[in-house]
């Protein structure tokens, strides 16, 4: 069994449709720890020791957030700047997170085709996530492909619930170590582990 920590960052959660449903899905999976950063730190005064202890006690870390201006909401950057300290998370003696797995769970208003070469945003979603991938690499973590809900502006309730069910399946599979690491990293998106309407774990 793997322990899973979700670092959740949404500054306007009361207006959320998609992320609220994903969070509800995560709460339904046994053994998932949810750390709501905006709720925990409304003044951005992050408790570094608390956050580091949470990281140490979990095997899989998830950065869950809406995709704002091609990035994550501000508190997640604040969290990275403060918590991932030199000599602890990276650097010559910074091995605290070595071997842990990490990935993004994100939602974007733009559709899949907008995040392609020649599309509206000119680059793929993976290219926009390079800073997260390199952060993971610097911390000697294993970066998994993202779970991505795209085109949220046009998603109806049925579509949102389908993504939420898919996310539930993925979290349950990760916590139960259903998939080998080689199979996970071979995917383009974490979504590909459980196509929509597939059987639950």
């Amino acid at each position: 069994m793997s322990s899973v920590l979700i670092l959740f960052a949404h500054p306007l959660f009361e207006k959320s449709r998609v992320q609220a449903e994903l969070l509800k899905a995560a709460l339904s999976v046994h053994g998932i720890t949810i750390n709501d950063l905006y709720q925990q730190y409304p003044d951005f005064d992050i408790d570094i020791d608390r956050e580091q202890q949470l990281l140490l006690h979990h095997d899989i870390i998830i950065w869950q957030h809406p995709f704002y201006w091609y990035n994550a909401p501000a508190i997640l950057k604040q969290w990275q700047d403060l918590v991932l300290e030199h000599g602890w998370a990276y650097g010559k003696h910074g091995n605290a997170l070595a071997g842990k797995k990490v990935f993004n769970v994100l939602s974007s208003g733009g559709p899949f085709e907008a995040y392609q070469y020649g599309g509206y945003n000119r680059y793929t979603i993976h290219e926009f996530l390079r800073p997260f991938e390199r952060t993971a690499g610097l911390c000697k973590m294993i970066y998994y492909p993202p779970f991505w809900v795209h085109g949220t502006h046009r998603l109806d309730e049925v579509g949102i619930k389908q993504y939420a069910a898919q996310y539930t399946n993925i979290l349950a599979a990760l916590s139960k170590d259903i998939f080998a690491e080689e199979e996970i990293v071979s995917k383009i998106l974490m979504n590909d582990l459980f196509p929509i309407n597939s059987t639950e774990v």
Side-chain angles (χ1 to χ4, degrees):
M1 298 287 287
S2 291
S3 52
V4 180
L5 171 65
I6 296 176
L7 296 166
F8 183 75
H10 199 313
L12 294 171
F13 184 67
E14 66 277 6
K15 294 184 178 181
S16 171
R17 294 189 312 137
V18 172
Q19 287 290 345
E21 198 66 34
L22 293 182
L23 195 64
K24 189 165 91 173
L27 285 166
S28 73
V29 181
H30 178 72
I32 305 293
T33 302
I34 296 173
N35 186 20
D36 187 334
L37 296 178
Y38 277 102
Q39 183 181 68
Q40 188 71 33
Y41 306 112
D43 56 2
F44 277 53
D45 187 14
I46 292 174
D47 184 336
I48 296 171
D49 183 64
R50 174 186 182 271
E51 296 302 310
Q52 290 181 346
Q53 289 303 310
L54 278 172
L55 292 174
L56 289 175
H57 287 93
H58 291 84
D59 305 305
I60 300 172
I61 316 302
I62 297 174
W63 291 311
Q64 183 173 335
H65 57 91
F67 201 48
Y68 279 5
W69 286 105
Y70 309 108
N71 210 316
I75 201 168
L76 189 50
K77 181 62 167 65
Q78 174 85 339
W79 180 93
Q80 290 174 330
D81 291 344
L82 298 179
V83 176
L84 303 179
E85 292 180 309
H86 181 270
W88 186 81
Y90 72 101
K92 184 177 180 180
H93 302 292
N95 300 309
L97 303 179
K100 292 184 183 292
K101 288 79 174 178
V102 64
F103 66 100
N104 296 80
V105 168
L106 69 156
S107 54
S108 68
F112 182 86
E113 56 270 19
Y115 290 91
Q116 305 298 320
Y117 296 118
Y120 183 80
N121 292 313
R122 300 181 61 185
Y123 302 103
T124 68
I125 197 67
H126 295 83
E127 288 179 286
F128 285 115
L129 293 175
R130 291 296 182 215
F132 293 95
E133 180 183 354
R134 290 310 310 137
T135 296
L138 197 63
C139 296
K140 307 177 185 70
M141 303 173 79
I142 298 160
Y143 188 70
Y144 280 173
F147 178 82
W148 180 26
V149 182
H150 47 79
T152 59
H153 296 323
R154 296 184 179 181
L155 269 182
D156 59 17
E157 291 303 312
V158 172
I160 293 172
K161 288 188 180 300
Q162 286 179 326
Y163 274 112
Q166 190 180 41
Y167 189 36
T168 301
N169 286 341
I170 289 166
L171 289 175
L174 290 174
S175 67
K176 296 174 183 176
D177 300 320
I178 298 294
F179 295 104
E181 185 176 297
E182 294 77 13
E183 185 173 3
I184 296 173
V185 298
S186 72
K187 303 298 184 184
I188 301 298
L189 296 169
M190 193 69 79
N191 311 56
D192 298 333
L193 291 171
F194 283 100
I196 294 292
N197 296 326
S198 65
T199 305
E200 293 186 3
V201 175

